[in-house]
């Protein structure tokens, strides 16, 4: 931001905050607007908290979030004091040079999505072999995962280590002189706060001091749930200021829940309602308020009434970047039977490019397979490269329409098996090379690939695509897995092989027959002739052709280049 832009921005803020809402700049009535004492108090407390948070974490990502909250999200209409505006303007000046780039923001967003995916699949796998999660179980797992993870910046605060490599091209810490400047601003803020409290006749005991803010931030950082809860409980007892600070009630409620110090869901819900009691319209969109509402919904017993007011709070305090909030709300509207609202929220995420595959799957579950709308949706999804093959096959299987399966046949046929000569020249037994396009996998999800030769069955179980036992061919964009030669006691490829791919969203079995087994003895002799020159050699012994697939209890055979269903 150049100096000229900063001047215009400062003037704009000053005009807005002096006269109220910008749309009322020329309205005389705006000059006489009365201001809520607690709105003014919270604006002061938030600035104290924000500066303390930036200094305590010494992290450019957290700084950027605070910057965005002030410059883009703070509801300046509740602040009517020029001195606070001057302080905020100065604060923006010092923070501007430290905010992260758009590219770095995208990296953090992508990492957050991956962490959500990982947590989701961890929560539903239990037994990795148990797949084909029914829609009810899947949506319940998604809702729990979203609430546990929190918003992107709440998650970053709590799981900094999981993001540590995101900023690998820049120093994540602040420059020393900026920390010094922020510390100096605290002194200016104290002086301004005293004047404002006096002008608005606000009781000083509810003013958040620098020391209190710092103690609160350090309490939130505590990893041990019981200790965090006890520390925050003492903070509340010793400092009346926290009674009127909404952020405290959210963190205190979480600490109570995680420590199991308060077992009654109703008591926890009541703690979270303290957030509502103290909350003032300080932000246009408040992700913490949305998180509070989601926590309350999840604390209520299963099959109990979902408070629509909480859903409205979630939507009111979310932006397009808060895709997880729309996903959560869509799931809860489904539970209420408000299908159109759920569809609209899932479609919103798809249109904005957020978790397209998962939202498409959930959107498809809002239709019956015989609906014309379902078929129209299926056509769009099959053409959408953002939707995973697993989710496409799920929707095709649900339709049980051979027409759509044949439109998808190339992706299925791309799952290939071949027998290869071991790269160890002293091993005569074949290896089996399995090649599966990456689109069939969940990047952050666990999976099992098993191969059955008729003599033995072996499984490879992986926690994610980052497993060292698999290779990813970047040119073909396929996962390559070699099954060890001990899989077969014979010295030649098996005539028939069954391959299965299982992960939390799919259970697919494919049958293959051998196309062209070669003469092993001739190949072995040829390899021995060149072994001293090429110690590791890989040669194809046989390729395999798909003959049948099994999915969702239906079997489909290949016939003349297309699938036919077996009744």
């Amino acid at each position: 931001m150049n100096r000229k832009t900063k001047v215009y921005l400062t003037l704009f803020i000053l005009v807005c905050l002096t006269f109220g809402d910008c749309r009322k700049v020329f309205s005389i009535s705006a000059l006489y607007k009365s201001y809520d004492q607690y709105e003014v108090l919270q604006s002061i407390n938030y600035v104290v908290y924000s500066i303390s948070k930036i200094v305590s974490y010494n992290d450019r990502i957290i700084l950027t979030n605070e910057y965005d909250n002030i410059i883009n999200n703070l509801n300046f209409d509740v602040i009517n004091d020029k001195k606070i505006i001057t302080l905020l303007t100065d604060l923006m000046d010092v923070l501007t040079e430290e905010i992260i780039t758009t590219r770095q923001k995208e990296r953090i967003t992508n990492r957050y999505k991956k962490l959500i995916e990982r947590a989701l699949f961890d929560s539903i796998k239990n037994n990795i072999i148990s797949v084909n999660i029914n829609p009810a179980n899947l949506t319940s797992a998604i809702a729990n995962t979203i609430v546990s993870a929190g918003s992107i910046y709440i998650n970053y605060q709590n799981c900094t280590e999981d993001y540590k490599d995101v900023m690998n091209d820049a120093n994540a810490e602040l420059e020393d002189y900026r920390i010094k400047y922020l510390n100096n601003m605290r002194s200016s803020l104290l002086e301004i706060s005293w004047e404002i409290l006096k002008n608005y006749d606000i009781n000083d005991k509810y003013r958040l001091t620098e020391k209190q803010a710092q103690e609160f931030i350090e309490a939130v950082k505590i990893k041990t749930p019981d200790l965090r809860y006890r520390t925050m409980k003492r903070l509340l007892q010793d400092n009346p200021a926290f009674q009127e600070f909404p952020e405290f009630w959210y963190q205190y409620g979480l600490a109570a829940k995680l420590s199991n110090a308060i077992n009654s869901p109703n008591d926890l819900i009541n703690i979270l309602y303290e957030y509502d009691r103290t909350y003032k319209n300080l932000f246009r969109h408040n992700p913490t308020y949305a998180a509070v509402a989601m926590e309350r919904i999840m604390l209520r017993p299963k099959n109990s009434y979902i408070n629509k007011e909480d859903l409205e709070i979630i939507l009111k305090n979310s932006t397009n970047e808060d895709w997880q909030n729309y996903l959560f709300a869509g799931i809860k509207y489904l539970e209420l039977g408000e299908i159109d609202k759920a569809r609209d929220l899932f479609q919103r995420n798809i249109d904005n490019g957020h978790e397209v595959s998962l939202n498409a799957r959930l959107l498809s579950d809002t239709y019956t397979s015989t609906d014309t709308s379902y078929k129209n949706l299926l056509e769009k999804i099959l053409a959408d490269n953002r939707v995973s093959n697993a989710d496409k096959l799920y929707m095709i299987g649900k339709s049980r329409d051979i027409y759509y399966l044949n439109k998808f046949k190339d992706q299925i046929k791309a799952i290939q098996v071949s027998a290869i000569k071991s790269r160890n020249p002293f091993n005569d037994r074949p290896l089996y090379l399995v090649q599966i396009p990456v689109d069939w996998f969940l990047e952050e999800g666990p999976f099992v690939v098993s191969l059955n030769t008729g003599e033995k069955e072996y499984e490879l179980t992986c926690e994610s695509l980052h497993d060292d036992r698999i290779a990813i061919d970047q040119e073909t964009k396929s996962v390559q897995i070699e099954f060890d030669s001990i899989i077969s006691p014979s010295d030649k490829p098996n005539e028939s092989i069954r391959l299965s791919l299982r992960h939390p969203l799919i259970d697919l079995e494919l049958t293959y027959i051998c196309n062209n087994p070669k003469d092993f003895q001739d190949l072995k002799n040829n390899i021995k002739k060149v072994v001293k020159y090429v110690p590791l050699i890989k040669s194809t012994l046989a390729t395999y052709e798909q003959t049948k697939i099994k999915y969702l209890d239906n079997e489909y055979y290949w016939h003349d280049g297309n699938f036919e269903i077996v009744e």
Side-chain angles (χ1 to χ4, degrees):
M1 186 184 294
N2 59 40
R3 184 174 182 83
K4 186 175 181 181
T5 303
K6 290 178 183 176
V7 171
Y8 282 134
L9 178 60
T10 303
L11 289 172
F12 178 76
I13 292 173
L14 283 170
V15 171
C16 290
L17 297 169
T18 303
F19 296 102
D21 189 351
C22 292
R23 293 169 296 181
K24 301 177 184 176
V25 165
F26 299 104
S27 170
I28 294 177
S29 62
L31 296 172
Y32 299 99
K33 178 177 176 179
S34 61
Y35 284 84
D36 186 320
Q37 289 177 315
Y38 285 103
E39 286 181 348
V40 177
L41 174 69
Q42 283 192 17
S43 68
I44 296 171
N45 285 348
Y46 179 76
V47 175
V48 172
Y49 171 65
S50 180
I51 295 175
S52 297
K53 191 173 176 182
I54 292 168
V55 172
S56 176
Y57 281 96
N58 188 19
D59 185 291
R60 291 176 60 208
I61 296 172
I62 288 175
L63 176 148
T64 301
N65 182 48
E66 297 304 313
Y67 177 91
D68 287 343
N69 261 342
I70 293 173
I71 206 71
N72 295 319
N73 199 22
L74 197 62
N75 185 2
F76 289 113
D77 195 35
V78 305
I79 307 171
N80 194 39
D81 193 280
K82 292 182 180 179
K83 291 186 177 180
I84 292 183
I85 305 311
T86 301
L87 186 70
L88 287 175
T89 305
D90 290 343
L91 179 60
M92 294 301 97
D93 283 343
V94 75
L95 299 187
T96 298
E97 300 302 323
E98 292 285 356
I99 62 175
I100 62 176
T101 65
T102 300
R103 184 179 179 185
Q104 289 164 341
K105 282 185 181 180
E106 288 174 355
R107 289 180 191 168
I108 292 183
T109 300
N110 290 336
R111 176 58 54 84
Y112 173 72
K113 288 181 179 179
K114 289 181 179 180
L115 290 173
I116 288 281
E117 286 179 11
R118 181 77 234 178
L120 169 62
F121 298 129
D122 280 347
S123 71
I124 63 178
K125 73 176 184 181
N126 292 326
N127 177 354
I128 195 172
I129 309 303
S130 299
V131 292
N132 279 334
I133 302 297
N134 68 53
N137 289 346
L138 180 60
T139 54
S140 176
I142 293 170
N144 278 304
T145 300
I146 289 172
V147 172
S148 297
S151 68
I152 183 168
Y153 284 107
I154 290 173
N155 186 267
Y156 179 82
Q157 274 180 219
N158 297 333
C159 310
T160 307
E161 285 298 307
D162 292 329
Y163 293 83
K164 63 182 180 181
D165 60 331
V166 174
M167 298 280 284
N168 56 7
D169 64 341
N171 184 8
E173 294 185 353
L174 309 182
E175 297 287 348
D176 289 343
Y177 78 92
R178 297 195 194 280
I179 292 288
K180 183 178 179 181
Y181 186 88
L182 289 168
N183 282 324
N184 290 337
M185 288 189 72
R186 291 171 167 179
S187 300
S188 301
L189 182 59
L190 177 62
E191 181 182 344
I192 292 171
S193 298
W194 277 107
E195 289 188 30
I196 293 173
L197 292 176
K198 183 178 178 180
N199 291 340
Y200 289 91
D201 193 26
I202 299 173
N203 193 327
D204 181 59
K205 72 178 182 178
Y206 295 121
R207 176 179 63 86
L208 193 64
T209 68
E210 176 189 332
K211 183 175 183 294
Q212 290 168 344
Q214 190 63 38
E215 288 178 341
F216 171 49
I217 292 164
E218 293 305 317
V220 172
K221 290 181 181 180
I222 296 172
K223 298 298 183 184
T224 308
D226 290 346
L227 179 58
R228 188 194 315 168
Y229 170 73
R230 291 194 301 270
T231 303
M232 296 186 76
K233 185 177 181 181
R234 286 191 286 267
L235 285 176
L236 182 62
Q237 293 169 344
D238 298 343
N239 305 285
F242 289 122
Q243 295 175 14
E244 301 301 327
F245 190 49
E247 182 73 19
F248 178 85
W249 289 110
Y250 170 63
Q251 294 292 349
Y252 183 50
L254 285 187
K257 184 182 82 167
L258 294 175
S259 68
N260 294 317
I262 299 178
N263 294 318
S264 167
N266 286 334
D267 289 343
L268 289 170
I269 289 171
N270 289 336
I271 290 175
L272 292 172
Y273 269 119
E274 287 295 300
Y275 189 99
D276 298 62
R277 179 187 66 79
T278 58
Y279 177 71
K280 299 297 179 182
N281 193 28
L282 197 60
F283 298 102
R284 291 181 174 89
H285 304 283
N286 189 339
T288 304
Y289 200 6
V292 167
M294 287 191 280
E295 285 284 354
R296 282 201 295 256
I297 289 173
M298 295 305 291
L299 282 168
R300 298 185 190 280
K302 286 185 178 180
N303 303 320
S304 67
Y305 176 73
I306 297 173
N307 189 345
K308 287 188 180 181
E309 290 182 3
D310 280 332
L311 288 174
E312 291 168 3
I313 288 170
I314 294 168
L315 298 182
K316 183 180 178 181
N317 288 282
S318 300
T319 65
N320 285 336
E321 294 179 352
D322 301 312
W323 58 269
Q324 72 282 358
N325 294 359
Y326 294 124
L327 181 57
F328 177 92
I331 288 169
K332 293 305 167 182
Y333 276 119
L334 271 184
E335 293 178 17
L336 287 171
E338 298 191 25
I339 307 300
D340 288 340
K341 285 187 177 180
R343 287 172 179 166
D344 182 63
L345 292 170
F346 298 145
Q347 188 64 59
R348 180 176 188 147
N349 278 342
I350 294 170
D351 293 343
N352 289 321
H354 295 306
E355 289 298 310
V356 174
S357 194
L358 180 57
N359 279 278
R361 184 185 183 109
L362 294 174
L363 180 60
S364 74
D365 280 333
T366 67
Y367 297 96
T368 63
S369 59
T370 56
D371 286 346
T372 302
S373 297
Y374 183 82
K375 294 182 178 180
N376 293 336
L377 174 65
L378 189 52
E379 289 280 1
K380 293 178 183 177
I381 286 172
L382 288 177
D384 195 330
N385 292 331
R386 299 171 300 174
V387 180
S388 74
N389 284 350
D391 286 324
K392 288 178 180 178
L393 186 58
Y394 168 80
M395 294 174 227
I396 292 170
K398 180 180 168 183
S399 74
R400 298 183 183 275
D401 192 327
I402 200 74
Y403 166 77
Y404 295 107
L405 185 64
N406 279 315
K407 288 193 71 170
F408 194 59
K409 64 183 179 181
D410 290 341
Q411 287 88 333
I412 298 173
K413 203 164 189 176
I415 302 175
Q416 299 177 355
V417 178
S418 58
I420 62 173
K421 186 67 183 176
S422 172
R423 284 176 290 208
N424 179 353
F426 304 104
N427 186 352
D428 293 339
R429 291 178 175 175
L431 298 179
Y432 289 94
L433 175 64
V434 176
Q435 295 175 288
I436 306 175
V438 172
D439 289 344
W440 282 102
F441 295 88
L442 308 162
E443 182 178 355
E444 298 302 323
F447 62 89
V448 174
V449 176
S450 63
L451 193 69
N452 189 317
T453 66
E455 297 164 340
K456 272 193 175 183
E457 180 173 16
Y458 282 81
E459 290 186 342
L460 176 67
T461 300
C462 299
E463 287 299 311
S464 73
L465 285 178
H466 306 296
D467 196 295
D468 293 337
R469 293 169 296 169
I470 66 173
I472 298 180
D473 187 316
Q474 296 300 333
E475 186 177 343
T476 61
K477 294 183 179 179
S478 64
V479 173
Q480 299 191 350
I481 303 168
E482 290 183 7
F483 285 90
D484 202 304
S485 57
I486 61 171
I487 200 169
S488 173
S490 65
D491 286 339
K492 59 183 179 180
N494 296 81
E495 292 184 3
S496 178
I497 284 177
R498 288 201 314 275
L499 174 74
S500 68
L501 168 63
R502 287 166 284 171
H503 61 61
L505 297 178
I506 195 172
D507 188 350
L508 175 64
E509 183 182 283
L510 306 101
T511 302
Y512 296 81
I513 57 169
C514 187
N515 266 337
N516 54 341
K518 293 186 177 180
D519 187 299
F520 274 71
Q521 192 59 44
D522 288 347
L523 183 61
K524 182 170 65 174
N525 292 337
N526 289 334
I527 290 174
K528 285 181 178 179
K529 289 177 184 178
V530 298
V531 70
K532 64 180 179 179
Y533 303 109
V534 187
L536 295 178
I537 188 167
K538 176 171 144 182
S539 298
T540 301
L541 302 175
T543 58
Y544 285 81
E545 181 180 358
Q546 282 182 27
T547 59
K548 180 177 68 173
I549 70 167
K550 183 178 180 182
Y551 182 68
L552 289 181
D553 297 325
N554 277 340
E555 291 187 344
Y556 305 90
Y557 279 88
W558 284 97
H559 180 71
D560 291 337
N562 286 304
F563 281 113
E564 290 184 356
I565 193 167
V566 180
E567 300 292 348

